[in-house]
Amino acid sequence: MTTFENRSHELPDNWWAYQSTCEILAGWFQKHLVGLLISISKNEKAHNNLVFTGFLLFYRERLLWITAGHVIDKIQEVLQEPNYDIVTMQWLDGGKIPGAESVIVHNRDLQFFSTYENDVDFGCVMIEGLDAANILQNNEVKVVTEQIWKNIHLSNPEGYYIVGYPEEWVETDLESSSNNIMINKLFARVACLPVEKTDHPGKSVDPFWNNPEAFYGKILDYSDQNQPNSISGMSGGPLLSIERDQNGELRYYLFGLQHGWDKNKRIIRAESIQTILQIIS
């Protein structure tokens, strides 16, 4: 048990929304994240790194990369753009060995799936073969299993979080090596943002609210505003809850998949994990 967990009985009511708490939990939650990096060049110009957020889920003996449907569509659009040269595709699995922080996508002909049926924005990729083997042998990766959503109806969340790679936190550093080869270095920071659940307003002409069964919540600000201004790039990340049990130990559940937001009100929308499981069953 960590010191943070040992002190959990002494925490104030809004302990889960503190920036310090979010930074600690980001270290826990990012083990579930695997980003997809697509590095492109256009007309032989400098590289542009695109990082897409998703998480790994093991279901019925299949390793799936879960994300939003519109993220899958964007990936396919990039791959099919005739003016782009795909320099590299990599799964960002957080490896700690220098030079092995990611897994090369060996087969770029990925099995994509996306759907918007019943106002649900969902997508996934099946990871197989060598790529799956390399990712699963990484101890820094924690694949989501039913343990994190089973008995979710018995949970008592104190707060929620969305986790992902915001575009404005993705940085590229091009360096020239001794033999004048340009080295493309990527820095992608994980954001763990506190979310307070909000009620559905009822009838609305705004399509953002067109699914009353979805989860809606407001992103809470840190006191020093050290957050990304936009969560663009975080679509496809998990919506996770946090709570303390009777012994003061922390536990979390996977509640859903974040895929949209109202930028002006900083309200997010996520599809429930139950809806996702019904789709992939």
Side-chain angles (χ1 to χ4, degrees):
M1 183 183 298
T2 65
T3 302
F4 180 66
E5 289 173 302
N6 276 322
R7 293 175 21 235
S8 66
H9 279 309
E10 308 168 8
L11 299 174
D13 290 342
N14 62 340
W15 63 274
W16 59 272
Y18 283 20
Q19 179 180 351
S20 57
T21 302
C22 293
E23 290 175 348
I24 293 172
L25 293 180
W28 296 9
F29 296 156
Q30 69 179 0
K31 291 181 178 293
H32 296 302
L33 284 184
V34 169
L36 176 60
L37 164 66
I38 302 180
S39 182
I40 63 175
S41 64
K42 186 175 182 180
N43 299 325
E44 300 183 353
K45 293 185 178 180
H47 296 183
N48 183 21
N49 290 321
L50 306 175
V51 177
F52 301 94
T53 296
F55 60 95
L56 294 181
L57 186 145
F58 218 15
Y59 191 65
R60 296 189 174 181
E61 300 183 355
R62 294 176 294 177
L63 181 62
L64 302 176
W65 185 66
I66 303 295
T67 189
H70 72 269
V71 172
I72 292 293
D73 295 346
K74 177 62 177 179
I75 293 171
Q76 291 183 295
E77 178 185 322
V78 170
L79 296 178
Q80 295 168 6
E81 170 56 56
N83 294 321
Y84 290 166
D85 177 27
I86 307 301
V87 180
T88 186
M89 288 179 63
Q90 301 176 38
W91 295 112
L92 303 179
D93 64 344
K96 298 301 183 183
I97 301 175
E101 298 89 351
S102 60
V103 171
I104 296 294
V105 178
H106 292 88
N107 181 10
R108 296 182 180 179
D109 187 20
L110 297 171
Q111 299 183 48
F112 293 110
F113 171 80
S114 63
T115 182
Y116 303 95
E117 187 175 353
N118 298 323
D119 298 317
V120 173
D121 183 345
F122 169 74
C124 66
V125 172
M126 186 180 299
I127 304 179
E128 301 176 298
L130 183 60
D131 291 2
N134 287 336
I135 291 173
L136 293 176
Q137 72 178 3
N138 181 0
N139 293 329
E140 296 300 319
V141 172
K142 192 171 183 180
V143 180
V144 172
T145 65
E146 66 175 6
Q147 290 181 331
I148 199 174
W149 71 73
K150 190 177 182 179
N151 297 324
I152 197 171
H153 62 285
L154 300 177
S155 65
N156 185 29
E158 296 181 59
Y160 301 87
Y161 305 92
I162 55 170
V163 188
Y165 299 98
E167 289 179 0
E168 62 188 77
W169 283 9
V170 175
E171 301 176 8
T172 299
D173 185 14
L174 291 175
E175 296 182 356
S176 178
S177 65
S178 56
N179 53 0
N180 293 322
I181 296 177
M182 296 303 294
I183 300 175
N184 181 25
K185 291 188 175 182
L186 174 77
F187 303 91
R189 292 172 55 198
V190 172
C192 176
L193 305 181
V195 174
E196 184 176 56
K197 188 175 183 180
T198 61
D199 294 329
H200 190 277
K203 292 184 179 180
S204 175
V205 296
D206 187 344
F208 178 77
W209 300 97
N210 62 8
N211 184 2
E213 301 301 319
F215 176 101
Y216 296 90
K218 181 176 177 58
I219 298 174
L220 302 181
D221 294 330
Y222 299 142
S223 59
D224 58 2
Q225 301 294 311
N226 188 21
Q227 287 186 348
N229 293 318
S230 170
I231 65 169
S232 293
M234 294 181 68
S235 288
L239 171 72
L240 298 160
S241 68
I242 196 71
E243 63 186 77
R244 292 168 289 182
D245 65 16
Q246 294 179 345
N247 298 318
E249 295 187 25
L250 301 179
R251 63 176 60 181
Y252 61 91
Y253 291 90
L254 173 66
F255 265 73
L257 165 76
Q258 186 271 325
H259 69 79
W261 75 312
D262 182 325
K263 182 176 182 179
N264 294 326
K265 297 180 180 178
R266 291 183 71 81
I267 294 177
I268 64 99
R269 170 176 163 176
E271 305 299 345
S272 71
I273 181 60
Q274 289 81 7
T275 297
I276 293 171
L277 294 176
Q278 288 175 2
I279 295 173
I280 63 178
S281 294

